[in-house]
Amino acid sequence: MPPRTRAAEPTWFRAKPAPVVLVSGPEGVLGQRAIERITQARPDAAITRLDAGAYTRGALLAAASPSLFDEAGIVIVAGAEAMNDEFLSDALSYVTSPDPDVVVVIRHGGGVRGKKLLDTMRKGGVPEYTCPAIKKDSELADFVAGEFERAKRPVGAQVVRALVDAVGGDIAELAAAAQQLMRDVEGSISPETVTRYYGSRVNATAFEVADAAVAGDVAKALTLLRHALATGTDPVPLNAALAAKLRVLAKVGAARGRRLDPTKDLGIAPWQADRARRELRKWTADTLAEAIEAVAQADAEIKGAARAPEFSLERAVRVVAQLAQ
């Protein structure tokens, strides 16, 4: 396979504040990571979020103009690939003479809309951090290896391969899996560790259990769970799948209340967000919090706080499924 060109190399992990920053490319998770790096570099700055597609004239200048008593903040503009004419006009004016104390981040997911603005920023030397789509197997492996390297926990190629094989091609899930391993495992991470946590693709039963539980199907969830345990599936990945499912529900639910876009602002895959919205019809904030607490308790018990990990897991699955009813 020919090497990727320099222009195609992702640079999101180098993102840092500047008066104007362009975060470009279709990969939502990487775009969110780039924006997080910028906001974390200025933890005390107030953040204003704008939608370029639903923009009203003057909003950018107002957001980027701190009052006499306010600190300079960060303005994050999402959806620039769908910008309206009002935003295009205001942004063209602003990027040529930005406030040096304010950080304006423009997130463009790709396409030709707003090309004049992109050309103006690039010709003007605005720093650009790229987030290309990650689809090929080799790119998935590069992403996983980079997750460990940036956390100063480098792993061998066999560990990377095992994790990609186990989790699949969703980079949000791969990132979460890598973070889970680094939190839970001290010292070196081996392929055997990956297998213990995530099994392999044939262990998709873990996600079937989680789906049934979140849907409120107690009988199906328990039947699948008992079959998985009887065939040797470790309780850890089963509980991890349930926890991951609930985390997505919590994020999508919170995004709805805060008027955020789960895909653009939180890096959740569109299909995951759509499914979570449907599943949230069975949930309230209180029942979801109770379910997360039950799964967290099971996680602690499975990892040594109790003597019967399988019983702890079954109890958590039952509680989650009953709460969904």
Side-chain angles (χ1 to χ4, degrees), residues 198-255:
Y198 297 105
S200 63
R201 284 179 178 170
V202 300
N203 286 332
T205 304
F207 297 99
E208 293 176 0
V209 172
D211 289 342
V214 166
D217 193 333
V218 179
K220 182 178 180 181
L222 292 177
T223 298
L224 289 168
L225 174 64
R226 289 165 185 165
H227 174 73
L229 293 172
T231 54
T233 304
D234 192 285
V236 170
L238 289 166
N239 197 65
L242 186 55
K245 184 84 175 178
L246 292 172
R247 280 197 298 270
V248 172
L249 290 183
K251 287 181 178 180
V252 173

Side-chain angles (χ1 to χ4, degrees), residues 248-270:
V248 172
L249 290 183
K251 287 181 178 180
V252 173
R256 183 169 54 190
R258 296 165 59 193
R259 297 184 179 180
L260 299 177
D261 185 307
T263 299
K264 294 177 181 177
D265 297 322
L266 302 180
I268 297 173

Side-chain angles (χ1 to χ4, degrees), residues 57-127:
R57 188 175 297 278
L60 177 60
L61 182 60
S65 301
S67 71
L68 181 63
F69 302 104
D70 290 335
E71 295 289 335
I74 298 174
V75 181
I76 298 173
V77 182
E81 67 278 1
M83 68 179 71
N84 60 26
D85 292 339
E86 287 80 5
F87 177 77
L88 177 60
S89 176
D90 280 4
L92 283 170
S93 175
Y94 183 83
V95 300
T96 57
S97 184
D99 187 319
D101 297 322
V102 177
V103 176
V104 173
V105 182
I106 297 178
R107 175 74 178 101
H108 194 288
V112 298
R113 182 64 177 160
K115 183 177 183 299
K116 184 176 181 180
L117 175 61
L118 299 181
D119 290 343
T120 299
M121 287 192 286
R122 287 164 179 159
K123 290 177 181 177
V126 167

Side-chain angles (χ1 to χ4, degrees), residues 109-240:
V112 298
R113 182 64 177 160
K115 183 177 183 299
K116 184 176 181 180
L117 175 61
L118 299 181
D119 290 343
T120 299
M121 287 192 286
R122 287 164 179 159
K123 290 177 181 177
V126 167
E128 178 177 5
Y129 301 103
T130 55
C131 311
I134 296 178
K135 297 179 180 179
K136 297 177 182 178
D137 195 65
S138 60
E139 294 169 343
L140 292 172
D142 287 346
F143 172 76
V144 172
E147 289 291 284
F148 289 105
E149 289 170 5
R150 281 184 285 277
K152 303 189 186 305
R153 295 283 299 275
V155 296
Q158 289 182 321
V159 170
V160 172
R161 181 74 268 157
L163 195 58
V164 173
D165 284 344
V167 176
D170 187 299
I171 68 165
E173 293 181 2
L174 283 169
Q179 293 299 322
Q180 178 89 39
L181 287 170
M182 288 187 280
R183 282 195 302 268
D184 288 0
V185 180
E186 295 183 3
S188 61
I189 299 170
S190 68
E192 290 73 24
T193 307
V194 176
T195 300
R196 178 173 179 270
Y197 269 70
Y198 297 105
S200 63
R201 284 179 178 170
V202 300
N203 286 332
T205 304
F207 297 99
E208 293 176 0
V209 172
D211 289 342
V214 166
D217 193 333
V218 179
K220 182 178 180 181
L222 292 177
T223 298
L224 289 168
L225 174 64
R226 289 165 185 165
H227 174 73
L229 293 172
T231 54
T233 304
D234 192 285
V236 170
L238 289 166
N239 197 65

